Amino acid sequence: MRFSINIPNFGDFADAHTVVRVAKTAEEAGWDGLFVWDHVVHSKQRRRGQAFGDPWMLLTAAALATSRIKLGPLVTPIARRRPEQLARQVATLDAMSGGRVVFGAGLGGPIEDEFGSFGDETDPKILAERLDEGLDLLAAYWSGERVNHTGKHYRADDVELLPATVQQPRPPVWIAGYWPRRAPMRRAARWDGAVPLFANANHGQAPPVGELRDLITFLREQRGDSSTPYDVIVGGISPSDASRSRALIEPLADAGATWWDERQLITGDDFYRLDPVLRRIEQGPPSLQ
């Protein structure tokens, strides 16, 4: 199992200098990844007055300050971005980091705040169509080959976006969604990893092992071919006590989870403040030895 740190792109982490400090500390402390949210307003009522940073600028700063840890968004709502611009951002970051990008994608939300506030589409079905079409188009762009595409939502006429991503055929693509909703996890099964949230476990809470087993069974059924490496990312707050930490995380690893993503509770305010996050990073990743 690998271990990552998860931070939003607002509050204290809107500042790229702060994210650099987090990234350097995480790498030095032995963590395997740093993942950043991609929001423009999140919940307007709850985030009123808070600063937001552009996730790609934050990740660029983190890439320049590190040499080992994986980096990427968790998650980018493709339907809120133009695929050709997003393809360039990811490819540039992949080159800058030496092939360390993991691309996390999802529907995005809260939909009314993140999309409706700017006069964009708010029908989840249409946003899901954009997500699926956009994912296929991104993969084509990242190949560096010539692309012709005429779809329901996007078009590309004889374009070639170079350079291709360092990682070929593309960076790993992880798809987020709520379980037990089947549609987003069917989407996740078509790519390289699943980042599930659970109805019975909010952000910052580890999922019930039984629900994770049900999800992984579903993903395996959807994927069919079990020989291809596949990631399942779960997270929460790991106890500082080593034995309690093992008791929490080992059953999830045994069930098939491959990453533990350290996350503060979204119901408080620690998750967007540097001090509590940095204290946890400095303690190092959980030990399963």
Side-chain angles (χ1 to χ4, degrees):
M1 178 172 271
R2 294 185 176 183
F3 301 94
S4 58
I5 295 294
N6 183 295
I7 57 173
N9 62 315
F10 51 80
D12 289 350
F13 306 110
D15 183 353
H17 297 91
T18 299
V19 175
V20 164
R21 185 178 175 187
V22 166
K24 291 174 68 174
T25 304
E27 185 162 272
E28 291 167 0
W31 296 85
D32 300 302
L34 172 67
F35 300 118
V36 179
W37 299 12
D38 182 355
H39 287 284
V40 286
V41 294
H42 194 238
S43 167
K44 289 189 295 186
Q45 182 178 359
R46 293 162 64 189
R47 306 293 159 229
R48 190 74 67 183
Q50 287 189 326
F52 281 68
D54 178 85
W56 299 103
M57 298 295 288
L58 301 178
L59 288 165
T60 296
L64 291 172
T66 57
S67 62
R68 180 185 58 80
I69 58 174
K70 300 290 186 181
L71 302 162
L74 277 187
V75 295
T76 283
I78 292 176
R80 186 161 50 73
R81 296 181 172 271
R82 297 184 65 86
E84 63 273 20
Q85 293 175 331
L86 185 56
R88 290 302 80 210
Q89 290 168 313
V90 174
T92 301
L93 183 64
D94 201 42
M96 188 178 301
S97 66
R100 291 186 281 135
V101 170
V102 175
F103 182 70
L107 198 64
I111 291 175
E112 286 298 329
D113 286 354
E114 289 272 297
F115 290 86
S117 296
F118 304 98
D120 205 345
E121 180 62 61
T122 56
D123 185 338
K125 292 183 178 179
I126 295 177
L127 297 179
E129 291 174 354
R130 287 189 193 175
L131 172 57
D132 285 325
E133 188 178 341
L135 282 165
D136 290 336
L137 198 48
L138 283 170
Y141 286 147
W142 289 333
S143 71
E145 298 177 358
R146 195 161 298 180
V147 178
N148 286 281
H149 173 86
T150 302
K152 184 174 181 180
H153 300 285
Y154 304 113
R155 176 177 167 180
D157 293 332
D158 193 32
V159 295
E160 186 179 70
L161 300 186
L162 295 173
T165 51
V166 171
Q167 299 177 86
Q168 283 294 312
R170 51 177 166 72
V173 174
W174 294 348
I175 303 298
Y178 277 90
W179 178 256
R181 297 177 187 171
R182 292 328 197 235
M185 292 299 105
R186 288 193 193 97
R187 178 180 300 115
R190 296 196 296 269
W191 296 92
D192 308 302
V195 190
L197 293 176
F198 294 79
N200 294 324
N202 206 336
H203 184 93
Q205 297 174 319
V209 176
E211 292 188 26
L212 177 62
R213 287 199 189 99
D214 291 343
L215 166 61
I216 290 177
T217 297
F218 178 81
L219 289 168
R220 287 171 177 165
E221 290 171 351
Q222 293 294 307
R223 287 176 55 77
D225 179 12
S226 59
S227 63
T228 305
Y230 191 81
D231 284 309
V232 178
I233 299 85
V234 298
I237 300 174
S238 60
S240 56
D241 178 78
S243 61
R244 291 176 56 216
S245 183
R246 286 194 297 272
L248 174 67
I249 298 175
E250 278 186 349
L252 299 171
D254 292 342
T258 61
W259 280 79
W260 172 266
D261 191 41
E262 191 76 22
R263 309 164 183 169
Q264 298 289 327
L265 286 170
I266 198 172
T267 51
D269 58 9
D270 280 357
F271 77 99
Y272 60 80
R273 298 193 184 281
L274 173 62
D275 287 348
V277 172
L278 200 61
R279 284 197 300 271
R280 179 62 193 91
I281 293 172
E282 290 171 342
Q283 293 170 2
S287 173
L288 300 186
Q289 301 300 318

